[in-house]
Amino acid sequence: MNPIECDVLASGGGMAGTVAAVAAARQGARTVLFERHGFLGGAATAGAVGQFVGWETRSGRRVIAGIAEEIVERLQKAGASTGHGSFIMSTGHRMDRVEYDTEILKVVLDEIAYEAGVRVLLHSQLAQASRRGRAIGSATLLTKGGLLDVRARVFIDASGDLDLMARVGAPFLVLEAGESLQPATMMFRLGPIDFALFDDMSFEAKAALSARGVAEGALPRAALHCSRVPGSDDGWFNVTRIAIDASDPFALSDGEREGRRQALAAARFIATHVPGCSRARLVSFAPQLGIRETRRIAGLATLTADDLRNGAEFIDAMALGAYPIDVHHAGGAAITFEELGPDHVYALPYRIAVPQGLDNVLVAGRGLSATHEAHGAIRVMPTAMAVAHAVGTAAALTAASNQPAASLDPATLREKLRAAGAIL
């Protein structure tokens, strides 16, 4: 196929990649976005998470808006979400969330990308990339029409696993002693559920039932998390746990099989023992595993858990977050869940999206330069969308200036983001 040229090429059409591409296109950049599935959304659609969590502080102060909030508004207009709400987790903590219909979200993302002028390539995967010194020249995609060479001024790796960065030899952060990759999850849809009974369960009752499920080997983690599909009596359950390195193709394949096995066992336990679920049956598995953690880029700065705890300020802050430090452990059924205060907010600096040794590349999504512990807080999708809004805007500005990504004036970036409705 004949090569194509653009200003910005975004790798991976998850929530981060889609938002980044839309942000770049709205700044006037000729933008191409490629995605391996036949639809956009990543973990939100293919992973069927079913809810966006982490929009506000525990006291209710909103810290994320911009394109992310526009997506919520579009979902509400389509009858695919009831908007912002909250629930009590199996840990007993209150969490804000936006429940949504995964199928309608696919259409919403199609529309927002199309209206922005993003050229979307679905059913396309990264084959290889060319690098010369500190710059990537092109990415070769495997498409239905064969290999396609895409030449761009600026590249955004929003693939989650940072496949583009791996292909060009970018540096990654390593796990420290005692750390392990957070496990993956196979979401599954169960219904019909009598939500009046299900939601009426006390935290103590849920805790007792989930502990029983773990003891009997039916639940891999001590949780009964469920996000309701708007307009239905079905819910997506997040209760499985698959300890793999999802950047390993064989481990990923084994993980999909194990995820479905765990999901079926959990669905049967829930239908048998959980109030409101006696008539429920397994409706579907998510199309793919939901991956929490694989590679993390070594950026110009690395965000730490203490930065989050202390509310560190950065001159190049590009987004805010409020989600707690939430680390799922590969061994056992427990999690580490550290809340940071009733109205605590932290900042994410632009430098954590700029890889060391590369001038025309930015990272968006869960692969940002952060310690394992800090990653457990900033990996959630609202935060990822807020960061992606900044990264896409920065990519367009960098492409227009023909200067290294590290040279971008943070004040200019912040001015553009505020004008687009972002909260800083």
Side-chain angles (χ1 to χ4, degrees):
M1 298 176 68
N2 293 328
I4 64 171
E5 296 186 354
C6 61
D7 297 318
V8 176
L9 174 64
S11 169
M15 298 307 298
T18 302
V19 169
V22 168
R26 287 181 175 178
Q27 291 295 321
R30 296 171 301 155
T31 305
V32 174
L33 168 67
F34 72 91
E35 162 59 36
R36 65 189 179 94
H37 288 293
F39 51 85
L40 301 173
T45 52
V49 171
Q51 61 185 10
F52 299 126
V53 297
W55 296 87
E56 59 189 41
T57 65
R58 189 153 31 104
S59 63
R61 177 160 60 110
R62 194 72 52 80
V63 299
I64 292 166
I67 296 175
E69 183 61 24
E70 181 183 341
I71 290 171
V72 174
E73 292 170 356
R74 286 175 178 243
L75 285 166
Q76 288 182 273
K77 186 176 180 180
S81 176
T82 55
H84 294 275
S86 65
F87 72 110
I88 302 299
M89 301 172 63
S90 296
T91 59
H93 297 89
R94 176 196 176 275
M95 180 55 61
D96 67 272
R97 69 174 170 187
V98 172
E99 294 174 304
Y100 60 86
D101 186 320
T102 58
E103 301 309 305
I104 305 302
L105 177 59
K106 295 173 184 177
V107 178
V108 166
L109 298 180
D110 285 340
E111 291 174 346
I112 197 171
Y114 177 78
E115 291 167 12
V118 178
R119 191 173 185 183
V120 177
L121 277 171
L122 300 175
H123 303 292
S124 300
Q125 293 184 267
L126 180 68
Q128 59 188 27
S130 67
R131 173 180 176 175
R132 185 170 183 177
R134 296 180 60 89
I136 297 178
S138 67
T140 302
L141 312 183
L142 178 59
T143 74
K144 291 295 291 183
L147 295 175
L148 173 64
D149 197 46
V150 184
R151 300 166 185 169
R153 291 178 178 272
V154 178
F155 295 79
I156 299 173
D157 193 338
S159 63
D161 297 328
L162 299 188
D163 293 330
L164 177 60
M165 297 295 87
R167 298 288 197 281
V168 299
F172 296 112
L173 300 177
V174 298
L175 292 166
E176 302 295 334
E179 296 178 344
S180 59
L181 293 174
Q182 292 198 59
T185 288
M186 174 58 73
M187 300 290 294
F188 60 92
R189 181 170 174 168
L190 197 67
I193 297 170
D194 184 337
F195 278 97
L197 290 175
F198 184 84
D199 292 338
D200 194 47
M201 273 192 299
S202 66
F203 160 65
E204 291 78 12
K206 282 187 178 180
L209 275 172
S210 59
R212 175 181 174 180
V214 171
E216 294 180 3
L219 295 181
R221 55 177 290 216
L224 285 173
H225 292 316
C226 169
S227 56
R228 186 171 185 172
V229 179
S232 82
D233 291 325
D234 291 358
W236 286 103
F237 281 81
N238 177 1
V239 298
T240 60
R241 176 162 285 178
I242 302 96
I244 58 167
D245 178 354
S247 65
D248 179 327
F250 290 99
L252 180 59
S253 297
D254 289 342
E256 297 281 4
R257 171 180 50 78
E258 172 62 13
R260 286 186 286 270
R261 186 199 67 77
Q262 289 186 17
L264 180 56
R268 288 171 171 165
F269 174 85
I270 292 167
T272 302
H273 298 290
V274 177
C277 299
S278 60
R279 295 177 53 244
R281 66 177 182 86
L282 179 69
V283 177
S284 61
F285 299 115
Q288 69 165 59
L289 283 173
I291 309 301
R292 291 186 175 87
E293 180 182 17
T294 49
R295 302 183 181 105
R296 290 168 291 127
I297 198 67
L300 299 184
T302 297
L303 194 68
T304 70
D306 281 342
D307 290 332
L308 307 186
R309 294 183 181 107
N310 299 329
E313 297 182 0
F314 303 98
I315 194 172
D316 61 340
M318 61 175 169
L320 301 179
Y323 188 75
I325 296 174
D326 176 11
V327 179
H328 294 244
H329 303 292
I335 65 172
T336 296
F337 196 85
E338 179 185 343
E339 294 191 303
L340 302 176
D343 199 44
H344 189 81
V345 177
Y346 48 80
L348 291 85
Y350 170 69
R351 286 164 293 159
I352 68 173
V354 184
Q356 296 176 14
L358 287 164
D359 290 336
N360 68 334
V361 188
L362 292 167
V363 167
R366 58 179 169 80
L368 295 168
S369 183
T371 63
H372 172 71
E373 198 176 17
H375 168 272
I378 68 172
R379 62 182 172 80
V380 294
M381 285 186 281
T383 309
M385 287 189 279
V387 168
H389 189 166
V391 166
T393 303
L397 294 173
T398 299
S401 68
N402 204 29
Q403 295 295 314
S407 299
L408 180 66
D409 176 20
T412 300
L413 174 60
R414 288 166 59 85
E415 178 183 352
K416 294 284 187 182
L417 291 171
R418 285 196 180 97
I423 298 173
L424 293 171

